Amino acid sequence: MDYQRLTIRGISYSQTQSGAYALLLEHEESNVKLPVVIGNYEAQAISLGLEKDIHPPRPLTHDLFTKFVVSANFSLVSVIIYQIVDGVFFSNLNFKNNITAEELILDARTSDAVAMAVRFNAPIYTTPQVLSEAGILLELEEPTAEENFDNAANEGDLTSLPMEDLQKLLEDAVKEEDFDAAMEIQNEIKRRNKKIE
């Protein structure tokens, strides 16, 4: 099958569902976005997987499963988002044994599959059908995240903003795909978190 490769463009707080987040995946060639609604725990699991330098004191479920997979001499080769039914995405984890080359395919929630993919640096794919059914092409106007970031910078540097405001600015920056602002805000959040530890 002609699979389409996706990249993670960001995670933002869902404007439509309370307590939920939107994982934004993007087709590399067409820039079509695939929004996947995920829960708070799943958003945290994916975010921690993306942040390679942050290690929780105790292993989270996805970290524990990753360790088990590696101990069993398997690697995650790819994640395939193969179907969408009534707004629910279905995914497979494709494993391969490093010694015997045996292949193992496991069904998984898409949020869990992506959380595992970031831990293994495995590619994420979908089918053209899923992309055409659920994909959207976002045409953004002037990025409000950049304006918010500029306002914060003009009123005083980021160090003067409360952590809650920084988190909101970061969510806006990711949503608006202003990754320069997001990086600077994230660095300030990391700096503060290191002080707390």
Side-chain angles (χ1 to χ4, degrees):
M1 179 168 277
D2 180 28
Y3 290 122
Q4 311 290 307
R5 186 163 180 166
L6 302 171
T7 56
I8 298 171
R9 294 297 290 180
I11 300 172
S12 64
Y13 192 73
S14 174
Q15 305 298 318
T16 56
Q17 292 186 22
S18 179
Y21 288 79
L23 167 65
L24 200 60
L25 302 171
E26 182 179 63
H27 180 233
E28 292 180 332
E29 294 168 19
S30 67
N31 295 328
V32 171
K33 313 282 191 294
L34 197 65
V36 181
V37 176
I38 60 176
N40 180 42
Y41 174 76
E42 291 79 7
Q44 180 186 26
I46 294 168
S47 296
L48 284 173
L50 289 168
E51 290 293 330
K52 304 295 184 194
D53 56 340
I54 297 177
H55 304 285
R58 304 291 299 142
L60 299 176
T61 305
H62 296 92
D63 300 320
L64 182 64
F65 187 58
T66 298
K67 218 169 217 180
F68 175 78
V69 168
V70 170
S71 298
N73 287 315
F74 275 84
S75 346
L76 181 62
V77 177
S78 65
V79 164
I80 310 287
I81 303 170
Y82 65 89
Q83 189 178 23
I84 180 170
V85 177
D86 297 328
V88 178
F89 291 94
F90 291 80
S91 298
N92 281 334
L93 293 165
N94 298 313
F95 295 98
K96 189 172 191 175
N97 188 293
N98 299 327
I99 299 169
T100 65
E102 170 193 0
E103 294 181 359
L104 174 66
I105 299 172
L106 297 178
D107 184 42
R109 296 184 313 163
T110 298
S111 55
D112 291 329
V114 171
M116 292 300 296
V118 297
R119 283 163 173 78
F120 279 94
N121 292 319
I124 302 167
Y125 298 100
T126 193
T127 64
Q129 183 181 357
V130 168
L131 209 54
S132 67
E133 278 184 45
I136 55 173
L137 190 57
L138 293 176
E139 294 295 334
L140 299 175
E141 297 173 10
E142 283 296 309
T144 58
E146 186 175 347
E147 291 168 10
N148 288 341
F149 177 75
D150 289 342
N151 290 341
N154 290 338
E155 292 169 11
D157 61 357
L158 293 174
T159 58
S160 64
L161 293 174
M163 186 64 105
E164 188 175 74
D165 290 352
L166 283 175
Q167 291 288 357
K168 177 72 175 114
L169 276 176
L170 180 60
E171 288 172 11
D172 290 344
V174 170
K175 181 181 174 188
E176 301 297 334
E177 299 184 8
D178 184 356
F179 297 113
D180 292 332
M183 180 85 77
E184 195 165 336
I185 296 164
Q186 192 171 33
N187 286 340
E188 174 60 17
I189 292 170
K190 281 184 189 176
R191 188 187 65 76
R192 290 189 192 185
N193 288 338
K194 282 182 183 171
K195 277 188 176 179
I196 293 169
E197 291 171 5

